[in-house]
């Protein structure tokens, strides 16, 4: 294998925390709050601080701070910013935030609070934004927020592209790749839609493996950056998809691949979120 591929298995060394519990006001059709259930839940800044201290004492490397979004499409993180600053000072944890659509003021506040990484879901299809994410926003709002984050936000902005978010169809993903080429991000994370039980996407057809591979091939050709296959992909296609994208070296990073792939290639596993940049991985002695 000519290309180094990093394998990420976050677990309790990089837990996901919802600051809204199970509650989400936006209720995107493919999630409807379902994916919040697997996170640790906090409801106050003090609870976040205490949980951060607990994980720091257990040897965690960092935290992914997420949760449900408001009807305007953002994470209500403002009351937690002073606490995040304290967590950074007291425990030196890597802080990754999933903030959604935000303005310049909040982007600056995230940076000043010491947030290291922003996971930003980039959506460039008005039908997905309106009918699936239930947002009164447009493609331009998503691009504007990304530009604000790059210009004013935390040091590392990781755009995420969800393949198949348009009811399992693929088209705007290629547009998103073309757009990102001009920004040269340090990393682009791809996800694959999951037809989760109990959501409006329960009966949506997953894109074919060939379609997903074609998107990743296109990204590999167009982007001069690291490419990651993130943690979200359906179990019914995961093993075969992972095998193909690893063997064809279409990604530089992959989350939770099948153990047989780890054994076959002797991959070292890293217990953080896949958005953590190489510089920080080296500083933490993980790479």
């Amino acid at each position: 294998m000519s290309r180094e591929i990093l394998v990420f298995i976050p677990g309790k060394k990089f837990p996901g925390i919802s600051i809204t519990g199970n509650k989400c006001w936006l209720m995107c059709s493919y999630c409807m709050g379902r994916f919040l259930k697997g996170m640790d839940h906090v409801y106050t800044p003090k609870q976040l601080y205490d949980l951060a201290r607990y994980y720091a004492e257990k040897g965690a490397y960092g935290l992914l701070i997420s949760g449900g979004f408001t009807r305007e499409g953002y994470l209500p993180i403002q009351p937690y910013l002073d606490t995040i600053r304290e967590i950074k000072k007291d425990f030196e944890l890597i802080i990754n935030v999933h903030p959604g659509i935000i303005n310049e003021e909040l982007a600056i506040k995230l940076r000043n609070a010491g947030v290291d990484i922003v996971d930003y879901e980039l959506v460039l299809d008005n039908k997905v934004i309106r009918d699936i994410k239930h947002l009164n926003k447009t493609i331009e709002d998503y691009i504007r927020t990304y530009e604000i984050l790059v210009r004013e936000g935390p040091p590392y902005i990781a755009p995420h592209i969800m393949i198949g978010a348009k009811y399992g169809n693929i088209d705007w993903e290629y547009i998103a790749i073309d757009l990102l080429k001009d920004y040269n991000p340090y990393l682009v994370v791809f996800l694959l839609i999951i037809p989760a039980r109990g959501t409006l996407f329960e009966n949506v057809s997953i894109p074919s493996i060939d379609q997903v591979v074609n998107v990743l091939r296109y990204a590999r050709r167009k982007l001069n950056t690291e490419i990651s296959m993130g943690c979200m992909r359906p179990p019914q296609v995961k093993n075969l998809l992972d095998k193909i994208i690893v063997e064809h070296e279409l990604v530089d990073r992959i989350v939770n691949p099948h153990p047989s792939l780890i054994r076959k290639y002797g991959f070292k596993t890293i217990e953080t979120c896949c958005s953590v940049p190489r510089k920080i991985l080296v500083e933490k002695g993980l790479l």
Side-chain angles (χ1 to χ4, degrees), residues 265-285:
Y265 292 103
F267 288 131
K268 176 189 174 184
T269 58
I270 301 171
E271 295 178 280
T272 73
C273 169
C274 77
S275 298
V276 178
R278 284 178 178 264
K279 183 175 184 292
I280 296 179
L281 290 174
V282 171
E283 289 171 352
K284 294 288 185 180

Side-chain angles (χ1 to χ4, degrees), residues 86-229:
E86 292 177 22
I87 289 169
K88 284 296 294 184
K89 176 173 63 73
D90 293 347
F91 309 123
E92 298 184 353
L93 293 166
I94 304 164
I95 302 296
N96 184 355
V97 172
H98 183 203
I101 300 288
I102 62 172
N103 58 24
E104 186 171 314
E105 179 186 5
L106 186 49
I108 292 170
K109 287 181 177 180
L110 289 173
R111 184 189 69 212
N112 291 340
V115 172
D116 300 288
I117 306 158
V118 165
D119 281 351
Y120 180 64
E121 185 185 353
L122 182 66
V123 184
L124 299 187
D125 187 286
N126 283 328
K127 185 174 180 62
V128 173
I129 295 167
R130 182 182 63 249
D131 297 345
I132 295 170
K133 296 190 73 65
H134 310 147
L135 265 176
N136 186 25
K137 301 287 184 182
T138 65
I139 291 170
E140 288 70 28
D141 292 310
Y142 273 85
I143 295 174
R144 187 182 306 114
T145 297
Y146 180 60
E147 290 176 339
I148 287 170
L149 285 166
V150 169
R151 187 175 67 247
E152 305 288 355
Y156 297 100
I157 312 300
H160 286 47
I161 298 173
M162 187 178 296
I163 300 171
K166 193 174 182 177
Y167 301 107
N169 299 310
I170 292 176
D171 53 18
W172 66 268
E173 292 87 342
Y174 290 96
I175 299 170
I177 292 167
D178 287 340
L179 176 112
L180 289 172
K181 184 164 79 74
D182 296 330
Y183 292 90
N184 196 31
Y186 77 101
L187 173 73
V188 177
V189 180
F190 287 89
L191 308 169
L192 178 55
I193 199 72
I194 295 176
R197 186 174 300 172
T199 71
L200 293 175
F201 263 45
E202 183 171 357
N203 296 314
V204 164
S205 296
I206 305 165
S208 72
I209 288 178
D210 284 346
Q211 288 178 303
V212 177
V213 167
N214 286 340
V215 171
L216 295 175
R217 284 191 191 280
Y218 187 79
R220 178 60 87 202
R221 288 199 309 271
K222 290 286 185 175
L223 299 174
N224 183 28
T225 185
E226 286 193 74
I227 295 171
S228 178
M229 176 53 73

Side-chain angles (χ1 to χ4, degrees), residues 9-73:
I9 302 180
K12 293 302 181 183
K13 290 295 181 80
F14 211 105
I17 299 172
S18 170
I19 60 172
T20 67
N22 281 329
K23 186 171 179 59
C24 181
W25 297 263
L26 198 57
M27 296 293 279
C28 301
S29 297
Y30 53 78
C31 175
M32 301 179 71
R34 181 184 184 279
F35 295 107
L36 298 178
K37 294 177 180 177
M39 295 182 172
D40 287 319
H41 295 170
V42 299
Y43 301 92
T44 67
K46 183 180 184 304
Q47 288 178 350
L48 178 62
Y49 183 89
D50 290 345
L51 190 60
R53 178 173 56 194
Y54 167 81
Y55 277 118
E57 290 172 351
K58 295 290 185 180
Y61 301 116
L63 310 172
L64 170 62
I65 298 176
S66 186
F69 283 7
T70 67
R71 290 293 304 149
E72 291 74 37

Side-chain angles (χ1 to χ4, degrees), residues 221-253:
R221 288 199 309 271
K222 290 286 185 175
L223 299 174
N224 183 28
T225 185
E226 286 193 74
I227 295 171
S228 178
M229 176 53 73
C231 51
M232 185 175 178
R233 50 200 194 280
Q236 56 266 50
V237 300
K238 176 179 171 177
N239 291 349
L240 181 55
L241 176 63
D242 290 1
K243 181 175 184 291
I244 292 170
I245 64 177
V246 166
E247 290 182 351
H248 290 267
E249 301 181 0
L250 297 178
V251 295
D252 304 280
R253 302 175 174 218

